[in-house]
Amino acid sequence: MSDVEHRVRDLLRRHAAEAPAGATLLTTVRTESRRRARRTRAVVAAAVAVLAGIGVTVPLRLAAGPGTVTVAEPSALTEPSGPVTVTFPLSPAPVDGVVAAPDVRLEAGLPTLSLPMPGGGTATLTVRPTRPAGPVTTPVPVRGVQGFLAGTADAIVWQEGPEQWFELRADPAVPADHLAGFAKSLVATPVTAPAPFTFAVVPAGYAVDNISPGAVTFCPPDLPFDASFVGKITVMLGVTAERSTGRPVDVAGHPGTLTGPQDGYVVLQVDLGDGRLLVVQSAASVPLPEPDLLRFAAGITVTPAATPGRG
């Protein structure tokens, strides 16, 4: 055995001889553990008191394990970065001093403008950051630039800026020169649609991909934008005749009912007291916790621009 090993053996024997035996050792350990736990709690309490005194919120809670402190789970809601609305970069020119009111929406994340065409039918114009997918064929002059027939020659596309491609089509379809003539009548004056709802808080990490007078959809980050409500959180306006039975809840003083999950959704309906319902439909695949769902609904204001829709 080496000199080092002899020293280690002698040291262990000496401490073993000096240590309390049996129950005395266990009692000593327990007493010391309680003393240290009391000292830790006192230090934490003093720190929290100091921070509270200078107006600092401490988002901490005691976990199930004794003596462990963890950060509380964040809310699923956040303040919106701005109004939940949509603006289109072109608008109809005045006719006899009167400007027609276009229907401006957000569809699958893209601003769209719809307007009656002279002689009948509806023109729908979409703006996007890149050229629309699909083949383009015959060149067509549009608004002073070179455009093209697209799809099955029932639409024209053209570019007016680095990330500003327009696609125009009519229903029923009309000849390309009629579409180009309609496009020429538009002016470069942005038009913003009145917001159907305002929001005090919104689902954190979600993006709005559809806005219409009847509904606003919040799309989770892992879902591609589309024009549907599937897999999203949708806010709609309904009527009390459509109210479903469910568990009663209170939403900022208004009576509400909560149903589901059923058919893949949890649905909150809030009686606004004037024959209308505020409806929040939350996909079960991306659920808001119930407290956040109620808080989200409580922060929604229905504006005069909203009209009843259907999910």
Side-chain angles (χ1 to χ4, degrees):
M1 182 178 293
S2 69
D3 181 62
V4 172
E5 291 172 330
H6 278 291
R7 289 173 181 268
V8 171
R9 183 191 61 186
D10 292 342
L11 181 63
L12 292 174
R13 285 176 176 175
R14 185 168 63 254
H15 281 288
E18 294 172 355
T24 303
L25 176 60
L26 181 58
T27 300
T28 302
V29 170
R30 286 175 173 171
T31 301
E32 177 64 14
S33 175
R34 286 194 295 269
R35 185 184 67 80
R36 294 191 178 190
R38 285 196 299 271
R39 185 173 63 185
T40 299
R41 288 195 294 269
V43 170
V44 171
V48 170
V50 170
L51 291 173
I54 60 175
V56 176
T57 301
V58 186
L60 301 177
R61 60 175 172 82
L62 289 178
T68 303
V69 176
T70 60
V71 178
E73 293 182 3
S75 170
L77 303 173
T78 187
E79 293 185 0
S81 59
V84 179
T85 188
V86 56
T87 297
F88 200 86
L90 301 177
S91 60
V95 177
D96 297 329
V98 178
V99 178
D103 181 7
V104 177
R105 305 182 179 216
L106 188 70
E107 295 185 357
L110 300 174
T112 67
L113 178 147
S114 296
L115 197 66
M117 292 190 69
T122 301
T124 299
L125 187 59
T126 303
V127 62
R128 65 187 76 218
T130 58
R131 197 181 81 178
V136 295
T137 55
T138 309
V140 178
V142 186
R143 294 174 55 83
V145 298
Q146 187 67 67
F148 301 90
L149 289 177
T152 57
D154 61 347
I156 57 174
V157 299
W158 73 95
Q159 184 179 16
E160 293 198 13
E163 294 185 350
Q164 197 176 66
W165 281 86
F166 292 93
E167 179 179 12
L168 175 63
R169 62 182 65 245
D171 183 24
V174 299
D177 60 335
H178 288 197
L179 287 176
F182 177 83
K184 186 178 179 180
S185 71
L186 301 174
V187 295
T189 301
V191 56
T192 299
F197 309 98
T198 63
F199 300 88
V201 289
V202 294
Y206 287 49
V208 174
D209 67 341
N210 292 283
I211 303 175
S212 73
V216 172
T217 61
F218 293 85
C219 184
D222 58 347
L223 190 68
F225 288 173
D226 63 23
S228 77
F229 297 171
V230 178
K232 305 173 186 178
I233 296 172
T234 303
V235 177
M236 297 174 282
L237 187 64
V239 295
T240 52
E242 300 173 346
R243 185 173 182 176
S244 304
T245 57
R247 178 161 56 88
V249 292
D250 179 82
V251 181
H254 291 277
T257 56
L258 197 59
T259 60
Q262 184 176 353
D263 298 327
Y265 292 92
V266 172
V267 179
L268 172 64
Q269 296 179 317
V270 184
D271 192 338
L272 300 179
D274 57 4
R276 300 179 302 166
L277 290 175
L278 174 65
V279 182
V280 181
Q281 178 177 279
S282 178
S285 57
V286 285
L288 277 178
E290 184 174 320
D292 283 329
L293 179 60
L294 298 180
R295 180 176 162 229
F296 175 49
I300 298 173
T301 299
V302 180
T303 76
T307 59
R310 187 177 294 274

